[in-house]
Amino acid sequence: MAGLGAAHALECLRAAADPAPFDWVLFERADYFGGKVRTERVDGFVIEGGPDSFIVEKPWPMELARKLGISERLLDSNEDVRRSYVFSRGRLHELPEGLILMVPTRLLPFAASSLISLRGKLRMGLDLVLPRGRSLADESLGDFVRRRLGAEALAKVAEPIVAGIHAGDPEQMSVRATFPMFLEMERDHRSLIVGMIRRRRARLRATRGAGAGASNAAAGGTATGAATGPRKPRAYFLSFRTGLADLADAVVADLPAERLRAGVAVESLVAEPPAAAGAGPETAITASPADAAGSAGTGQSALRLRLSDGTEQVVQAVVLAGPAFAAAELLGGIAASSAAAASAAAELAAIPYVSTATVSLAYRRADVARPLHGFGFVVPRAEERGIMAGTFSSLKFDGRAPDDAVLVRAFVGRAGRESAAALPDDELIALVRDELASILDLRAEPLLTRIFRWPQGMPQYRVGHAALIGRVEAAIGELPGIELAGGYLHGIGIGDCIREGAAAAGRAVAHVEHLTAPAEAAVPSGLPAGDGIEGRS
């Protein structure tokens, strides 16, 4: 989605100028646009191949939907069944009400939970009296959770939840890059429990205030038209009526078809002398997963893109909106002549990725022996199971299955345990069916199955990630006309990618405008190098 976010921003900037000062093209290696946002609609089922939702705390998909005129297609998750489970010691245990990520905020549901032992609960409660930790440049999520909440909370709650988000190993994950709000809570409130309770109360007050404002506007109306504004989301998780691909499809439909090049990858990137750009219009190009945008002008090298269809294109600015390893490979084309490019390429190549797969299975409702409840479940690493999580897709969102059917999705592959994600189709489906039979007593023959594989699909934010990205962005800052966007920078969510792409597009356009501006013109201001992280779902 970073590539589409950049393309949409470029077209908006181009349309706002008269005459248009630049052109752009989006190259995509795959035969579709949207990256991991894949939705298949078949026989009344809406099957998500990658993410199935985004979170209200990261509003950029909602903002993009509003600009595209599809806000009415936004879909809240079913909050009345918002329960999640952990598979531990041979059965499912409901996560206690008030547990936010891994932090308890309500005493009675937490005390009554069967998931954590009495000893483990008492250890988690020590967070209320423990002092702040030493100030460190970074710390593993595992060390942080053990320090604040104890080993059992890490093994049974934190590890499976973060694996469901990042497919990562908390012993290697950076707390500063993945959950910086925990560090902020410890700094500001000393206790995670106290900090999370105050955060939850502030959110409830804000929600009530927004609801009261909307009610007043609806009753009396306002001169600004507040009563007819877009509906505010009621849920924490959001999607679209017929799947997340509604958003990607709407972006594609809103863009000029002649600038969209699916099935064409950028295979190499080389610097060209200034004259190579010729006298044609300035060009900004964004591509995914080998994304680039290059610029050329007086005293400034252009960039030559060699494409998989055998053609070449010389550009003035490029947004590399693919994975870190793809950006590293492209920067290698100019590394011999640029120490900054060589440094950025080496750092990007060091970011590890994990391969995963999702397997969706549909069943007749009458064949489901044990009724399903809630959004789904996660499986701790210590359980040694073949899947790491499962989602009850037809319960989480309306319209995901016909009334007489249910849709379940299993997640396979996590850091250090990726081999199952590469199994042949029949073996992978058999593995998932065996796991669902054991965990959910779901033994019926499925109506249909769908597999989506994501080799090297999940970037890992290991200890030191924030500092690594800081070095990458410093090096890229020495390469005018080259910008980065993607889920490996400052957040892996859909919203993060959209915002990264739009910000990178703005910086690329600022670079092109600087090249073509009169000498006395002021240099246009740039956009931030990257957005921050406000938490994960």
Side-chain angles (χ1 to χ4, degrees):
M1 289 297 292
L4 284 181
H8 180 267
L10 288 169
E11 184 60 19
C12 289
L13 291 168
R14 189 175 184 275
D18 186 20
F22 64 89
D23 204 346
W24 63 268
V25 180
L26 173 63
F27 297 107
E28 168 62 70
R29 182 185 300 275
D31 59 2
Y32 70 96
F33 295 100
K36 294 181 183 64
V37 174
R38 296 291 309 274
T39 304
E40 183 176 347
R41 308 168 184 99
V42 56
D43 297 335
F45 294 96
V46 177
I47 302 170
E48 299 286 16
D52 68 356
S53 59
F54 60 93
I55 60 174
V56 70
E57 285 184 334
K58 297 191 175 186
W60 306 296
M62 285 188 289
E63 294 173 0
L64 182 56
R66 177 181 54 79
K67 293 176 183 177
L68 294 167
I70 63 167
S71 291
E72 77 285 351
R73 298 192 62 79
L74 283 167
L75 181 66
D76 296 298
S77 60
N78 289 316
E79 291 299 283
D80 56 334
V81 297
R82 186 182 168 184
R83 294 188 294 274
S84 298
Y85 299 84
V86 176
F87 183 80
S88 178
R89 306 187 306 279
R91 69 184 184 94
L92 292 175
H93 302 260
E94 184 176 349
L95 283 170
E97 185 179 356
L99 189 79
I100 302 177
L101 289 172
M102 62 202 75
V103 182
T105 63
R106 296 188 60 183
L107 176 60
L108 291 181
F110 173 66
S113 172
S114 63
L115 176 61
I116 303 292
S117 69
L118 176 59
R119 183 186 181 94
K121 291 171 185 174
L122 292 173
R123 174 60 185 85
M124 292 178 74
L126 284 179
D127 169 76
L128 292 166
V129 297
L130 287 173
R132 294 177 177 86
R134 293 182 297 111
S135 179
L136 300 172
D138 203 355
E139 184 177 10
S140 78
L141 183 63
D143 285 345
F144 179 84
V145 175
R146 262 190 303 270
R147 177 167 62 79
R148 295 301 324 177
L149 300 171
E152 188 175 352
L154 172 64
K156 293 183 178 178
V157 182
E159 187 280 327
I161 288 177
V162 300
I165 299 169
H166 293 268
D169 180 353
E171 302 299 346
Q172 299 177 327
M173 292 172 60
S174 160
V175 66
R176 187 172 300 280
T178 55
F179 295 98
M181 65 178 180
F182 289 151
L183 295 175
E184 294 165 6
M185 287 177 185
E186 183 180 41
R187 180 195 66 207
D188 297 340
H189 307 285
R190 184 182 49 76
S191 161
L192 295 186
I193 295 174
V194 171
M196 193 65 82
I197 289 173
R198 291 175 178 171
R199 185 173 186 262
R200 181 171 63 87
R201 288 174 177 170
R203 183 184 296 166
L204 287 173
R205 287 194 297 269
T207 301
R208 288 169 184 154
S215 298
N216 293 337
T222 67
T224 58
T228 59
R231 176 185 65 79
K232 292 187 180 299
R234 296 184 297 270
Y236 187 70
F237 298 102
L238 298 166
S239 185
F240 292 86
R241 290 180 188 171
T242 57
L244 275 183
D246 282 6
L247 182 61
D249 294 344
V251 175
V252 171
D254 197 55
L255 298 175
E258 66 273 14
R259 294 193 180 94
L260 302 177
R261 302 284 302 279
V264 179
V266 178
E267 294 193 330
S268 69
L269 172 70
V270 295
E272 292 286 324
E282 298 77 36
T283 305
I285 295 181
T286 178
S288 172
D291 303 356
S295 59
T298 304
Q300 170 68 46
S301 294
L303 296 164
R304 182 178 295 274
L305 310 181
R306 295 195 174 107
L307 307 175
S308 60
D309 64 359
T311 64
E312 297 183 349
Q313 190 153 0
V314 176
V315 300
Q316 291 178 306
V318 60
V319 177
L320 306 177
F325 52 82
E329 184 176 353
L330 290 174
L331 289 172
I334 56 176
S337 58
S338 168
S343 174
E347 298 278 19
L348 289 169
I351 297 175
Y353 278 71
V354 167
S355 296
T356 62
T358 66
V359 182
S360 290
L361 306 95
Y363 299 89
R364 295 178 185 86
R365 187 178 296 276
D367 292 340
V368 179
R370 183 194 303 174
L372 304 178
H373 300 283
F375 283 2
F377 62 91
V378 293
V379 182
R381 180 180 295 263
E383 294 294 320
E384 301 283 350
R385 306 297 303 213
I387 63 177
M388 70 171 178
T391 298
F392 307 148
S393 303
S394 52
L395 294 181
K396 187 174 182 179
F397 288 103
D398 289 337
R400 275 17 186 185
D403 291 342
D404 61 350
V406 298
L407 184 65
V408 178
R409 186 165 71 144
F411 298 80
V412 180
R414 68 204 309 166
R417 300 181 182 178
E418 303 173 59
S419 59
L423 288 172
D425 287 1
D426 57 343
E427 295 182 30
L428 182 55
I429 291 171
L431 168 69
V432 169
R433 290 189 63 189
D434 286 346
E435 291 292 301
L436 295 181
S438 174
I439 295 171
L440 301 175
D441 195 26
L442 190 51
R443 304 177 188 279
E445 187 72 23
L447 295 170
L448 62 82
T449 59
R450 291 293 186 274
I451 297 173
F452 293 85
R453 299 179 187 273
W454 304 109
Q456 287 188 285
M458 188 66 74
Q460 299 297 290
Y461 287 23
R462 290 188 173 173
V463 173
H465 183 82
L468 183 152
I469 294 302
R471 295 191 297 271
V472 168
E473 290 177 337
I476 292 296
E478 299 179 25
L479 300 171
I482 296 179
E483 301 294 343
L484 301 178
Y488 60 88
L489 291 167
H490 301 283
I492 64 171
I494 296 170
D496 299 302
C497 292
I498 290 171
R499 187 180 185 189
E500 290 281 354
R507 296 193 300 271
V509 170
H511 170 74
V512 171
E513 289 177 344
H514 170 61
L515 293 177
T516 58
E520 66 274 16
V523 177
S525 60
L527 294 174
D531 58 314
I533 302 175
E534 298 180 16
R536 295 289 304 151
S537 62

